[in-house]
Amino acid sequence: MRILGISGLYHDSAAALVVDGQIEAAAQEERFTRKKHDAEFPRHAVEYCLSVSGCGLEELDAVVFYDKPFIKFERLLETYLSFAPAGFTSFRMAMPLWLREKLFQKQIIAKELKKLSPGFDVGKLLFTEHHLSHAASAFYPSPFEEAAVLTMDGVGEWATMTLAIGRGNDLKVHKELHFPHSLGLLYSAVTYYIGFKVNSGEYKVMGLAPYGEPRFAKLMLEKLIDLKEDGSFQLDQSYFNYGVGLTMTNDRFAALFGEPVRKPEQLLTQFHMDMAASVQAVTEEIVLRLARSVRAETGMKNLCLAGGVALNCVANGKLLREGLFDGLWIQPAAGDAGGALGAALAGYHLFHGKPREVPAKGDAMRGSYLGPEFSQAEIEAELAAAGAKFEVLDDAALIDLTAQGLADGKAVGWMQGRMEFGPRALGGRSILGDPRSPAMQKTLNLKVKYRESFRPFAPSVLREDVADWFELDGDSPYMLLVADVREELRREMTQEEKALFGIDKLNVPRSTIPAVTHVDYSARIQTVHADTNPRYHRLICRFKALTGCPVVVNTSFNVRGEPIVCTASDAFRCFMGSEIELLVVGNCLLRKEEQDPALKLNYKDAFELD
């Protein structure tokens, strides 16, 4: 049985294919169109998924869309009516779009599918609810026979947070929190207020938080949010504008905290860092209260997470250390793109009642390496067509030269195997560096990624060595858990360094691996496993043999505002448009100094800022 899941027409469009209960393929549309967070119908992603299975649309048993547009429209109307006459400008702008496009999404989706295959039977097009899609994406691929499933995001149809229980192939939602009360929208409101882009810049807020103090957390809990002991809450809508307005916050919000909304690219001050620290602290408190109440109420020993809030790896790390559950598993594509996978899995297990097999080892996500891969011949043909100069090496020489390049302090573009599904690069489409270098974080941010200097980088560490370097003794294959660098590896700061504030903390090395040690001694860890990514594992093993360090810097292979690279030509363009010094694609190795200078690109301003 073949079931295709689709998400999109809002942001982060994607497609995923499930064949006889196995996840065969999944990819975001942005990777093909090169348009960040592409919201259009995911035509390229659908075509890719079908190519993996070697079938046409008409051969599918079902196509499942990840939410229900009519219920979303009902929520929109009811919200405008409840706030009337406020919000008329927003209403006037939103209604024509809904009446012209979004209200009739079933017809739009059916029309797009028929473009791909005129023989497609529209009767096979099904819809599932947004948060059920999230819950399905979290539970069904997990390593648990039964689990509580917590989903948290901005908003789906009405729900902003749900508790579901999964047993075997059954999954039922038991509790919901409804719009406008939303943890995701609270975090997005602060994201907007301190000058970052909503649905894109939330992870920047998380990265900025350790530079600040949570001095506004108490005020948030007193004025913005009525938080209950069980983690449920209500937001005071008099401070927000997202219900019916064109912005996330209003003048009353700005007056409460004493500063206007920061303009993008305006200088970040201690105030903005403290706001980030405060909303992060509030988020962590809510997540911990929710988890405690879920454990007490359900008695479940395992917890699964999905929804955009589940990408908050700092909160996830604190939840893990709390020890409330025997098992914690987080969907790596926790945002809306992952809804496509959840829709396909819900179609298979819930709509068609098919049984579920729990993996004997690990989970069912295949390391999240679910996107396109290319043969050596295809890679060489693309690079040659782009005018690249490269040498083709055997595996041993390739690994050896790449590891030596890292040890020499070079920034390395690394494109191998299948592309990752989800927002994190996991060693398939990554930029790598030496974590021992005190200058590496600043170099990668300013000269390679062209982004804000404060943003931290993640360590990829051999699974077998993780406990020797970090305060974590377990799997973290999807870079969704934060833990501290081990104390014996930390560097004691001087009194002058301890007195530094805000962004001045950035340049102080904090451990023997300063490039991946954040200002609070934490790191967003990816454990690398020989069974899911053997080539990446071999590279880090070789780097360890050369340096004694089983850790490399891993950041996504793109510049700021660009989607992660998909093809060899994408990788070469990024290589020539940034200061990456070494590019490794398949068995091809490229050195920057050997390339034609005429192919150099001005990539710094090539993409809209995220």
Side-chain angles (χ1 to χ4, degrees):
M1 175 172 278
R2 297 185 182 102
I3 298 186
L4 181 74
I6 294 173
S7 66
L9 307 180
Y10 175 46
H11 64 94
D12 292 305
S13 296
L17 182 69
V18 170
V19 179
D20 295 331
Q22 302 299 308
I23 303 166
E24 292 293 316
Q28 294 114 291
E29 185 70 1
E30 67 166 23
R31 307 291 171 84
F32 303 96
T33 63
R34 314 308 300 152
K35 180 182 174 185
K36 189 87 167 174
H37 303 300
D38 196 339
E40 296 299 314
F41 178 83
R43 179 174 66 85
H44 300 87
V46 169
E47 289 177 333
Y48 156 67
C49 288
L50 294 175
S51 72
V52 169
S53 186
C55 71
L57 270 172
E58 64 281 354
E59 297 170 76
L60 298 174
D61 294 278
V63 176
V64 188
F65 191 67
Y66 83 128
D67 72 7
K68 295 188 174 181
F70 272 109
I71 302 177
K72 193 176 279 189
F73 183 65
E74 173 193 79
R75 186 251 300 167
L76 199 71
L77 278 181
E78 286 194 27
T79 302
Y80 279 125
L81 286 170
S82 67
F83 279 89
F88 178 72
T89 301
S90 175
F91 177 82
R92 190 179 60 197
M93 291 174 69
M95 280 305 105
L97 181 66
W98 268 91
L99 293 174
R100 186 175 67 250
E101 297 176 13
K102 297 191 175 185
L103 185 58
F104 304 104
Q105 276 184 358
K106 182 173 183 178
Q107 292 94 314
I108 292 167
I109 296 164
K111 184 179 175 183
E112 291 290 343
L113 291 169
K114 279 192 166 290
K115 279 185 193 173
L116 290 170
S117 176
F120 176 72
D121 177 4
V122 177
K124 292 181 180 179
L125 179 56
L126 307 172
F127 293 79
T128 182
E129 290 192 0
H130 185 97
H131 274 260
L132 184 61
S133 296
H134 278 319
S137 78
F139 176 63
Y140 289 123
S142 79
F144 311 133
E145 179 63 38
E146 60 177 32
V149 186
L150 197 56
T151 69
M152 303 168 285
D153 68 1
V155 60
E157 293 88 3
W158 275 104
T160 61
M161 183 183 295
T162 66
L163 168 63
I165 302 294
R167 289 188 177 91
N169 74 333
D170 186 49
L171 180 65
K172 288 188 175 69
V173 174
H174 286 253
K175 275 187 173 182
E176 293 184 345
L177 183 70
H178 281 184
F179 183 85
H181 310 294
S182 165
L183 180 55
L185 290 175
L186 171 67
Y187 209 93
S188 291
V190 175
T191 300
Y192 163 82
Y193 180 63
I194 62 176
F196 299 130
K197 191 180 285 189
V198 172
N199 290 329
S200 175
E202 283 80 1
Y203 62 96
K204 296 186 194 178
V205 177
M206 184 178 68
L208 191 62
Y211 293 95
E213 298 294 330
R215 62 188 177 98
F216 299 112
K218 188 167 184 277
L219 185 59
M220 288 179 180
L221 290 167
E222 286 175 353
K223 297 291 187 180
L224 300 183
I225 183 165
D226 179 13
L227 177 60
K228 306 301 183 188
E229 196 56 42
D230 66 355
S232 63
F233 59 87
Q234 288 190 314
L235 296 179
D236 185 340
Q237 289 302 297
S238 67
Y239 292 97
F240 299 94
N241 205 28
Y242 59 74
V244 289
L246 301 174
T247 59
M248 293 299 295
T249 61
N250 58 25
D251 290 342
R252 194 164 185 235
F253 188 101
L256 178 66
F257 296 106
E259 293 273 356
V261 175
R262 173 179 167 265
K263 292 181 173 63
E265 305 306 298
Q266 186 180 326
L267 183 69
L268 283 163
T269 67
Q270 191 63 47
F271 170 79
H272 303 117
M273 298 169 201
D274 292 346
M275 282 296 295
S278 301
V279 75
Q280 180 64 32
V282 168
T283 297
E284 290 164 13
E285 180 62 25
I286 292 170
V287 169
L288 288 174
R289 288 195 192 188
L290 283 166
R292 290 185 199 114
S293 68
V294 166
R295 182 72 173 91
E297 186 179 324
T298 67
M300 286 287 174
K301 294 179 180 178
N302 301 310
L303 179 68
C304 301
L305 299 177
V309 177
L311 294 171
N312 193 306
C313 50
V314 179
N316 296 341
K318 292 200 172 178
L319 178 55
L320 180 71
R321 289 191 292 279
E322 192 84 355
L324 295 166
F325 296 90
D326 294 349
L328 174 66
W329 193 84
I330 306 151
Q331 166 54 239
D336 275 11
L341 177 58
L345 290 165
Y348 185 79
H349 294 295
L350 294 178
F351 296 174
H352 285 88
K354 295 294 183 181
R356 169 178 176 249
E357 284 186 29
V358 179
K361 182 186 177 187
D363 57 49
M365 285 296 293
R366 301 187 177 190
S368 213
Y369 306 111
L370 296 166
E373 64 180 331
F374 304 93
S375 69
Q376 182 64 23
E378 288 173 320
I379 289 167
E380 290 180 30
E382 272 206 35
L383 290 176
K389 293 183 173 63
F390 57 89
E391 57 182 313
V392 179
L393 304 168
D394 62 31
D395 287 5
L398 186 85
I399 294 293
D400 202 46
L401 284 170
T402 307
Q404 188 61 58
L406 289 169
D408 292 341
K410 289 183 168 64
V412 176
W414 176 260
M415 177 185 154
Q416 301 292 332
R418 296 185 73 171
M419 182 177 67
E420 302 90 338
F421 181 53
R424 305 282 179 247
L426 302 169
R429 305 288 188 276
S430 293
I431 297 171
L432 310 177
D434 184 347
R436 302 168 304 152
S437 166
M440 186 58 68
Q441 182 192 2
K442 183 175 264 191
T443 297
L444 287 177
N445 269 329
L446 300 180
K447 293 189 175 182
V448 175
K449 302 283 281 188
Y450 302 127
R451 67 185 197 181
E452 303 94 339
S453 61
F454 71 82
R455 286 162 65 173
F457 289 107
S460 287
V461 56
L462 298 176
R463 170 62 184 89
E464 53 268 33
D465 291 323
V466 64
D468 296 330
W469 290 75
F470 303 98
E471 291 180 358
L472 174 73
D473 190 8
D475 296 347
S476 181
Y478 304 123
M479 212 184 279
L480 286 169
L481 294 172
V482 161
D484 288 345
V485 173
R486 286 187 67 90
E487 197 161 349
E488 61 268 27
L489 301 175
R490 298 180 198 173
R491 173 187 168 272
E492 183 66 29
M493 288 189 291
T494 66
Q495 288 305 312
E496 291 81 5
E497 289 169 341
K498 286 178 181 176
L500 294 171
F501 283 96
I503 214 75
D504 292 333
K505 298 175 181 178
L506 175 66
N507 297 322
V508 179
R510 279 175 160 67
S511 77
T512 57
I513 43 172
V516 294
T517 305
H518 210 7
V519 293
D520 57 357
Y521 292 106
S522 70
R524 187 182 68 195
I525 296 162
Q526 180 204 1
T527 52
V528 179
H529 304 246
D531 55 339
T532 54
N533 197 333
R535 180 168 278 197
Y536 192 35
H537 190 273
R538 285 200 302 274
L539 174 65
I540 302 175
C541 283
R542 182 63 188 143
F543 182 74
K544 179 186 177 183
L546 291 173
T547 65
C549 179
V551 181
V552 297
V553 178
N554 176 12
T555 187
S556 55
F557 197 159
N558 60 339
V559 300
R560 182 183 178 190
E562 179 192 20
I564 295 173
V565 302
C566 177
T567 66
S569 52
D570 294 337
F572 183 67
R573 271 196 309 274
C574 191
F575 174 60
M576 295 305 293
S578 67
E579 295 187 41
I580 296 172
E581 296 153 284
L582 205 62
L583 175 61
V584 187
V585 186
N587 281 72
C588 299
L589 186 138
L590 297 78
R591 295 178 175 86
K592 179 62 68 63
E593 65 272 15
E594 295 174 358
Q595 305 307 311
D596 180 354
L599 297 175
K600 176 86 174 151
L601 298 170
N602 179 12
Y603 234 45
K604 190 171 185 178
D605 302 311
F607 296 92
E608 183 184 344
L609 296 182
D610 59 357

